[in-house]
Amino acid sequence: MQGAKGSEAAEGFPRVVLVHMGSPEEGKTFLSERWPEAIAISDPDRTLFRAFDLGRASLGQVFGLRVWKEALKVARFGVGKPVGDPLALGGTFLVHGAHVLASDIAEHAGHVPDYEGMIDLARIRSNSRNTRP
């Protein structure tokens, strides 16, 4: 696994880390255009995917009705060339130290993570650390 350096996170807010199956250069390019503050970690062997218990999609999880509904919502952004295992399902995690505080594991290929919920949880967690005696 290899990382691509990102800029510093906002004070009190966790760093965003994108784990992907492409090369370090592909991750850096992708994030520089979309989320320059994030850090990219190249994981072509899916080591972290397995560590976080992220599985592979069935045909229904790739071509099912729920996937098409979500695809229509984001079609305006375009579709890129698949990199790595196109059947790998993703997940979004709020991690502090060695602890997973929250997770949102994809149920299908069109799953849209609850980023707002994760941001709210991160803020709550940050505020609770800052207000302890």
Side-chain angles (χ1 to χ4, degrees), residues 47-116:
T47 303
L48 287 172
F49 283 75
R50 285 190 302 279
F52 281 89
D53 205 22
L54 297 173
R56 296 183 78 232
S58 66
L59 288 178
Q61 290 173 301
V62 174
F63 298 110
L65 181 60
R66 294 184 301 173
V67 177
W68 288 104
K69 288 166 99 174
E70 292 299 330
L72 290 173
K73 291 179 188 176
V74 298
R76 69 179 184 268
F77 298 113
V79 177
K81 178 186 111 184
V83 174
D85 181 356
L87 296 180
L89 291 171
T92 305
F93 301 90
L94 179 58
V95 179
H96 184 263
H99 303 283
V100 176
L101 305 177
S103 64
D104 184 1
I105 297 175
E107 298 171 4
H108 54 80
H111 181 86
V112 177
D114 180 10
Y115 294 121
E116 302 266 333

Side-chain angles (χ1 to χ4, degrees), residues 7-21:
S7 62
E8 290 298 314
E11 187 174 333
F13 193 80
R15 288 204 134 140
V16 174
V17 178
L18 173 73
V19 179
H20 60 90
M21 291 176 275

